[in-house]
Amino acid sequence: MTKIRTRFAPSPTGYMHIGNLRTALFEYLIAKHEDGDFILRIEDTDQERFVEGAVDIIYDTLKSVGLHHDEGPDVGGDFGPYIQSERLPMYKEYADRLVELGGAHYCFCKEEDIEKQRKEAESLGISFKYDDPCKHISKEEAKQRIENESYVVRQTIQHGGETYFDDEVYGRIEVDNNVLDEAILMKSDGYPTYNFANIVDDHQMNITHVVRGNEYLSSTPKYNLIYKSFGWDIPTYVHVPPVMKDEQHKLSKRNGDASFQDLVKKGYLPEAILNYIALLGWSPETEQEIYTLEELIKVFDIKRISKSPAIFDIDKLTWMNGMYLRAMDIQKFYELAKPYMEESIHRPVDFMAVAKILQPRTDVLASIPESVDFIDELPEYDNALYIHKKMKTTYEIALKALQATQTALTELQDWTSEETLHDVLLGLPKQLEMKNGQILWPVRTAITGKQFTPGGAIEIAHILGKDETLKRIAVGIEKLQKELETA
Ligand code: GLU
């Protein structure tokens, strides 16, 4: 049996679109499920779109999500070079051969003239297909002219007949050859277009499965005609559905949030992103949603790739990210959370203790600075925060709770463990004939000034330390006294 070989063939655009990363993942899984090879090829023939550092973004992304390629520009392999701009002489050779075989011809038409015709057709509302007169020039004449004139190599499509192929996801696709346009294969600057380089490379690199976005579905018959002219085997095609922002809009750079780097910046974990995108347009047989890469390799099945567009649901990713954060050991969480804690905490508190209260309640790391900002400074808050209907806390009860806490905590000498704090605070409800919540709610309110906080009164008091805790309780007492006086 032939070894499965898939390739990820990104154009270096300067960012990793989530849809592209999803394609890379599917390519990786298809190969690895069968113990095959996953190849990285850089498609940089569009020199106008060259972006400095863009290739590094591709390497870094693949590395950070653990999609290791077996061959590629940085790791080598038997089928290199793996960067298209380094393969130019080979494309030229194949293009000339294709002309000999009748699958293409040299074209001397001026781009402006073609553009004019296109515009005219557009203004009349007719769909435009260039009927290239150059395909009727004799081979001898054309060969002479290419010596002195600027030219492109254009695909020759014989009129009549149909071309079909079977896509693994979309099934049989059939097109009338008359609708296929005679695309440029080699530009006048000697660079191939995607239409050509892709075919030559996939063949040269023994790619068995071509996995790519379904926007290429309608051009694939055209590519197959080239394979046929050369007498090459046509690869297995796996066209995948697009990743959408919503029913109508594709996830695009312009809409924001489309790139892997943006998501990482927002505090999503590479492993959670990878897990989430595996489920975009693919579904496992079971209800399981959390997968390691190893598990995905085992269960991945091309047959379960869907034809329907996949909608990128940021809430679902957020949920999944939270699952990953909670599952990791506290030391790792601490290390990841540290820079975010440092953004808003500048007091010498025990960051590990803060990490411990954050871990069970954090879905994205980027939410951390805001959720622990009260540690540095008690915010201005409204007294209404003291009122909790269910716990029956009124201003009077809150004041009583804070005063009793103030006395008890002032006497407490040992602040080093949460346990002593716990014993003192939970001793109060009995003494005062109050419910636990009637003590803890006002205390937490007084020391944080916020309605929602990670951690409860005891954990937070422990983190803040004795002086700060008592200072904030005193502020609370004063606020409540004023409130009651004016009532
Ligand atoms: N360079 C193409 C792109 O980035 C690759 C498409 C393919 O995988 O064939 O869209």
Side-chain angles (χ1 to χ4, degrees):
M1 249 182 59
T2 42
K3 193 171 198 187
I4 302 268
R5 287 171 61 84
T6 60
R7 87 297 190 273
F8 179 41
S11 304
T13 53
Y15 72 105
M16 180 66 76
H17 188 281
I18 279 300
N20 278 356
L21 186 60
R22 195 269 319 252
T23 304
L25 173 62
F26 284 8
E27 280 152 353
Y28 178 87
L29 296 174
I30 289 169
K32 295 301 160 188
H33 185 72
E34 302 287 339
D35 246 336
D37 291 334
F38 171 62
I39 289 115
L40 173 64
R41 179 173 77 225
I42 304 295
E43 301 209 325
D44 63 343
T45 57
D46 194 349
Q47 292 288 304
E48 279 167 27
R49 284 170 61 199
F50 180 80
V51 181
E52 191 74 44
V55 179
D56 289 329
I57 291 180
I58 296 169
Y59 296 147
D60 293 347
T61 307
L62 293 181
K63 203 168 154 200
S64 71
V65 295
L67 298 183
H68 300 297
H69 44 286
D70 301 288
E71 295 166 32
D74 52 342
V75 296
D78 293 339
F79 301 85
Y82 293 91
I83 297 189
Q84 286 186 328
S85 58
E86 293 172 13
R87 299 166 69 81
L88 299 183
M90 194 191 63
Y91 302 123
K92 172 152 183 10
E93 237 173 72
Y94 277 113
D96 291 340
R97 219 166 101 196
L98 190 63
V99 171
E100 285 302 317
L101 292 167
H105 59 272
Y106 301 111
C107 165
F108 305 94
C109 299
K110 292 210 167 47
E111 190 47 46
E112 308 94 82
D113 295 340
I114 302 175
E115 209 34 53
K116 221 169 107 195
Q117 288 184 33
R118 186 192 315 276
K119 290 232 168 86
E120 268 168 27
E122 260 168 31
S123 68
L124 296 170
I126 313 168
S127 78
F128 177 75
K129 194 165 114 351
Y130 188 53
D131 188 13
D132 184 9
C134 296
K135 63 181 170 239
H136 305 298
I137 299 174
S138 75
K139 269 190 195 151
E140 293 68 35
E141 186 190 333
K143 269 194 185 151
Q144 271 172 13
R145 286 179 65 179
I146 61 173
E147 297 301 323
N148 312 307
E149 286 179 49
S150 166
Y151 68 95
V152 300
V153 177
R154 203 180 270 286
Q155 184 169 5
T156 312
I157 294 186
Q158 306 300 342
H159 284 293
E162 286 194 332
T163 302
Y164 72 84
F165 70 97
D166 292 308
D167 185 79
E168 290 293 305
V169 176
Y170 289 85
R172 177 152 294 196
I173 306 286
E174 260 176 39
V175 292
D176 181 344
N177 288 347
N178 291 332
V179 304
L180 298 175
D181 68 323
E182 303 193 303
I184 295 178
L185 304 181
M186 293 287 288
K187 293 179 281 186
S188 54
D189 62 4
Y191 276 81
T193 58
Y194 169 83
N195 300 320
F196 191 55
N198 202 267
I199 295 163
V200 171
D201 288 346
D202 284 344
H203 170 73
Q204 278 282 311
M205 295 179 180
N206 283 348
I207 299 303
T208 59
H209 290 62
V210 168
V211 186
R212 64 185 170 207
N214 74 350
E215 66 270 25
Y216 290 99
L217 204 53
S218 60
S219 310
T220 300
K222 227 163 44 183
Y223 307 149
N224 284 351
L225 291 175
I226 298 179
Y227 278 99
K228 270 199 203 141
S229 298
F230 279 122
W232 293 344
D233 286 341
I234 290 171
T236 300
Y237 287 112
V238 185
H239 285 91
V240 295
V243 179
M244 309 286 286
K245 184 181 168 71
D246 53 41
E247 307 267 330
Q248 275 88 35
H249 307 94
K250 272 196 173 189
L251 195 64
S252 85
K253 200 182 173 199
R254 260 170 289 134
N255 291 335
D257 278 348
S259 90
F260 173 76
Q261 282 69 29
D262 285 343
L263 292 173
V264 171
K265 244 187 249 150
K266 289 189 179 161
Y268 291 94
L269 302 166
E271 55 272 38
I273 298 172
L274 195 77
N275 187 158
Y276 175 64
I277 63 175
L279 303 173
L280 284 178
W282 175 80
S283 58
E285 257 178 70
T286 63
E287 299 285 298
Q288 186 178 341
E289 291 188 294
I290 305 291
Y291 287 93
T292 62
L293 189 53
E294 286 308 310
E295 288 172 325
L296 284 173
I297 291 173
K298 256 192 224 133
V299 300
F300 196 79
D301 180 358
I302 297 180
K303 301 233 157 5
R304 300 190 64 87
I305 298 177
S306 158
K307 285 199 237 323
S308 331
I311 293 183
F312 185 85
D313 178 354
I314 191 81
D315 294 335
K316 180 90 190 263
L317 171 61
T318 303
W319 167 82
M320 196 174 270
N321 200 66
M323 299 289 280
Y324 273 80
L325 287 174
R326 284 185 271 294
M328 67 180 49
D329 76 66
I330 183 67
Q331 187 60 34
K332 183 165 178 215
F333 178 82
Y334 165 77
E335 276 153 29
L336 287 172
K338 194 152 181 263
Y340 294 92
M341 294 192 277
E342 282 169 347
E343 260 180 52
S344 68
I345 306 175
H346 306 92
R347 282 158 37 86
V349 296
D350 177 357
F351 277 73
M352 180 50 110
V354 181
K356 280 186 187 152
I357 61 168
L358 281 169
Q359 193 182 21
R361 300 164 182 92
T362 303
D363 283 331
V364 264
L365 296 168
S367 70
I368 290 177
E370 205 248 305
S371 84
V372 292
D373 57 2
F374 66 87
I375 292 180
D376 251 22
E377 208 179 329
L378 180 67
E380 292 282 333
Y381 63 94
D382 198 324
N383 285 339
L385 278 187
Y386 283 107
I387 308 292
H388 194 296
K389 279 210 182 110
K390 243 183 154 174
M391 276 183 239
K392 300 208 174 78
T393 46
T394 57
Y395 291 134
E396 287 84 355
I397 288 181
L399 179 59
K400 206 170 140 195
L402 291 188
Q403 284 168 331
T405 305
Q406 188 181 44
T407 312
L409 291 184
T410 307
E411 281 163 20
L412 179 67
Q413 295 310 320
D414 177 16
W415 205 274
T416 50
S417 86
E418 266 177 34
E419 252 161 56
T420 49
L421 272 170
H422 180 269
D423 293 346
V424 173
L425 282 178
L426 291 183
L428 292 176
K430 251 187 234 141
Q431 280 175 33
L432 302 171
E433 292 182 351
M434 281 159 66
K435 292 190 208 138
N436 287 355
Q438 288 175 319
I439 298 287
L440 297 177
W441 179 268
V443 171
R444 195 185 58 94
T445 303
I447 64 179
T448 66
K450 289 180 99 167
Q451 187 172 12
F452 303 107
T453 53
I458 296 165
E459 293 151 305
I460 294 170
H462 181 236
I463 289 167
L464 290 174
K466 184 169 176 175
D467 289 351
E468 187 64 22
T469 300
L470 286 172
K471 220 159 83 190
R472 293 182 183 195
I473 288 177
V475 171
I477 290 173
E478 204 183 310
K479 273 168 71 76
L480 285 167
Q481 279 170 339
K482 268 200 198 130
E483 178 76 45
L484 287 167
E485 274 164 26
T486 52

